[in-house]
Amino acid sequence: MGLTIAEKIIKEHLRAGEMRKGEEIALKIDQTLTQDATGTMAYLEFETMGIPRVRTELSAAYIDHNTLQSGFMNADDHRFIRSMAKKYGLYFSRPGNGICHQVHLERFGKPGKTLIGSDSHTPTGGGIGMLAMGAGGLDVAVAMGGGAYHITMPKMIKVELTGKLRPFVTAKDVSLELLRRISVKGGVGAIIEWGGEGVKTLSVPERATITNMGTETGATTSIFPSDEVTREFLKAEGREEDWVELLSDDDAVYDQVIEMDLSSLEPLIACPHSPDNVVKVSELKDVKVDQVCIGSCTNSSLYDMLKVAEILKGRVINPDVSLSISPGSKQVLSMLADCGALSDILAAGARVLECACGPCIGMGFSPNSGGVSLRTFNRNFEGRSGTADGQVYLVSPETAAASALTGYITDPTTLGEEIRVRMPEEFKIDDSAIEPPLPEEEAAGVEILRGPNIKPFPEGEPLSGEFKAELILKVGDNITTDHIMPAGSKILPYRSNIPHLSQYCFGVCDETFSERAKAAGRSIILGGSNYGQGSSREHAALVPLYLGVRVVIAKSFARIHRANLINAGILPLTLKTPEDYDLLNRGDTLKITDILGGLDSGEFTLKDVTNGRTLLLEGDFTERQKAILKAGGLLKYVAAEEHERNE
Ligand code: MIC
Ligand code: SF4
C-alpha cells in the first residue's frame, strides 16, 4: 500500500509505536521553534531538565509577539530568552526580524524534516513539505532535549485541487472555503494533505497561507508536496541544497477526500467571531469599515505585500479607515523598500508597523468601540483584538486593500483590471538579525539573565483515589484558549508570571472566575465540544492548575490543549453521553470515584453529589499519558524517568 506525504515523513521519524490510526506514536523531532510569548515558559521548563545543550538539528528562538515594551517585562523576557539561546545552542531571531513562521519558512525550514513549535501556526512549514506541528511549550522543551514528540497517529484527509485561482481570488479564500466546508472542528485528529493538479499553480507563500490557516480546522497539521515550485522558492532563498522531492504515492490511501475547484472560488470573508463563519465578500458590500489590518503569519509574505502595494498604488485610502501594514519579516520589508512598493503603501495612507504579530494578538492597533475591523489574519475570536466589542472579519490581502480604498467591505474582483506582481528570482538574504548558536566552549560561560517578572510555575499533583470538588464553571462549545487565558498587550507581558496572569483567567466568560476558583481550593470545569481550540499556549492549562482546577470535563477537546492539560497534570475527561452536559450545573459538588481504576479502564464514574445522579465519563489515555497523570504532570514524569535511568 502506498504512503501519503505525511506518512512518509512519519515513517522516517518513528521512534516508537505503529503507524495505525488512533494509536500513539513517538516522533523524532529535527527542528524546534519558540516565540517569546510561549518561549519564556518553555525555556524555564527546559532549564529544569538539566540538559547542557539542545539536541536537535536546529532550534530557533524568535521574538515577535511581545514587542510593545511598555514596562520592563517584555524587554526582560527577551533578554532572558536571548541568554538561554546563547547558553544552550539555539539561533536567536531578534525583535523586528519578523514573525517566527515567516522567518522560519524563509531561512530554516526543510522539506521532509519534522518541526514542532510552541505556537499553533507552526504548520506554516507544511507549505514547503515539512511535517510541522504546534505544541505546548513543555513538549517543545522535551524535544529540544532530544526527547520524542508524542501524537496520536492522525487520519489522512486529502484536498484534491483542480483548476486555477481567478484574478483577485487567493490562497486565503482557499483556506476560508475549507473552513466553510469542514468548520473549526473538521480537521481534529487529521493531517490535511493538499494535492491534485491545482497544487502546481500555487506558489510557496500561497501554500504557506493555506497550511498556516489549516490550524483553524483543528488539524494536527497540513502539508503540501515538495516539488519544483518548492525548489524554486528554496533557490530564491539561496538554499536550493535543502530541497528534496516529496510526493505522495499514487496508491496512497486517504480517509477522506475533499474536492475543490480553484477556478470556481470567489473572495470569501469570515464574520465575527469564528474563522468558520464564512460568507462571500459580495454579500456584505454595504458594511462600513473602520479599520483594516494587513499582515500576520497568514498573509505577510512579499507576494502578499506586493499585491497590496499594487492595489494601493496611486490611490489614497478612505479617510474613515485606519490601515495598518505589518510585513512578515525584515526580508519582506527591506525588499518592499528596495523596489519602491513601500512608498506606494505609505503614499496611500497606511500606518506601517514593525515586522511582528502586532494587532493579530492585540499588541496595539485595537479597533474603536464596536469598530468593524477587516484583517488578513487567521483568528477573529471575541475580544482578541483588544476591543471587547470589536467586530473582526477575516479576509485576503486583496479584499483588505480594496476595502481600505472604498471604506466598505469590497469584493476585489470589482476593482477591474487584474494586478500582476513580479516575484524576484532571488530574495534579499540578510541574516544579520539572526544570532547563530555559540560554540560549546563559549556557551558554557554565558550567564542567564532573569528579570523580576519571572515567577515560579505551578506544579501538578500525583493523581490518587477519588476527587471531590465544586463544578466552578460551565461553558459552551468551541471555547478557545483566548477565552481561558486571554492575550493582548496588557496581559501578554506576564507570560512568565502565572500568579499575575491568573487574575484574567476566563475573564471573557466570567469576571468572577479567578476569585471563585481561588476560594474553592480545588475545582472542576465543564466545557462543550472542541474545548480549548486555538492557540498552543500552555498557560491555558498552567493558570487553571495554579487556580486549583484538577479536572476538565468536556464533550470533546482540541488536540494541543488536551495535551497541555495532561502535561500540566490536569485530568481531561469527556462525557460518555454528550447530553449529560445539560444535567450538570455550576455550583454542583462532583465526585470522581476511583481515578486510578478509571485510568486503567478508560471509564470513570462521576457522582453529582448535589443532585444525587451518577454519570459516566471517558478518558482514553495512552500508557505514557497515564504515567504522566499519575506522576502529576510531564515535568515530574521526566524527572522520575531521569532518576530511574541514573539509579
Ligand atoms: C495565537 O495566534 O493565538 C498565538 C498568540 O500565536 C498563540 C501562542 C500564544 O498564545 O503565545 C498560538 O497560536 O499558539
Ligand atoms: Fe503571531 Fe497572529 Fe501568527 Fe499567532 S496567529 S503567530 S499572534 S501572527
Side-chain angles (χ1 to χ4, degrees), residues 322-338:
S322 176
L323 169 66
S324 77
I325 308 253
S326 358
S329 67
K330 186 172 119 177
Q331 181 179 83
V332 173
L333 178 55
S334 155
M335 291 184 78
L336 283 176
D338 289 354

Side-chain angles (χ1 to χ4, degrees), residues 283-298:
E283 286 172 35
L284 298 182
K285 67 178 185 348
D286 294 326
V287 177
K288 201 164 169 354
V289 174
D290 299 296
Q291 183 191 65
V292 174
C293 304
I294 300 178
S296 93
C297 56
T298 319

Side-chain angles (χ1 to χ4, degrees), residues 16 24-27 139 142 147-152 559 563 624-625 637:
E24 187 176 66
I25 51 170
L27 293 176
D139 281 322
V142 169
Y149 180 51
H150 295 78
I151 55 165
T152 306
R559 178 186 73 92
R624 178 174 170 276
Q625 290 171 333
Y637 168 79

Side-chain angles (χ1 to χ4, degrees), residues 335-383:
M335 291 184 78
L336 283 176
D338 289 354
C339 73
L342 185 61
S343 300
D344 296 331
I345 290 173
L346 288 170
R351 287 168 63 179
V352 177
L353 309 182
E354 69 178 322
C355 306
C357 301
C360 180
I361 192 55
M363 271 286 160
F365 222 77
S366 299
N368 54 291
S369 307
V372 169
S373 177
L374 254 58
R375 300 176 160 214
T376 65
F377 307 165
N378 45 39
R379 291 184 173 148
N380 57 348
F381 304 144
E382 200 168 0

Side-chain angles (χ1 to χ4, degrees), residues 497-570:
N497 184 345
I498 301 285
H500 183 90
L501 276 187
S502 71
Q503 319 166 43
Y504 305 99
C505 187
F506 274 113
V508 189
C509 308
D510 174 358
E511 279 185 351
T512 66
F513 174 77
S514 173
E515 283 310 313
R516 291 191 301 107
K518 260 197 223 148
R522 296 280 176 275
S523 58
I524 299 177
I525 289 174
L526 176 65
S529 59
N530 202 24
Y531 179 85
Q533 68 154 328
S535 90
S536 67
R537 63 189 72 146
E538 59 189 332
H539 303 77
L542 291 175
V543 171
L545 175 74
Y546 172 81
L547 289 171
V549 177
R550 292 291 175 269
V551 177
V552 179
I553 303 171
K555 290 185 188 167
S556 66
F557 288 91
R559 178 186 73 92
I560 306 178
H561 186 59
R562 182 175 184 271
N564 284 342
L565 288 173
I566 296 172
N567 287 351
I570 298 179

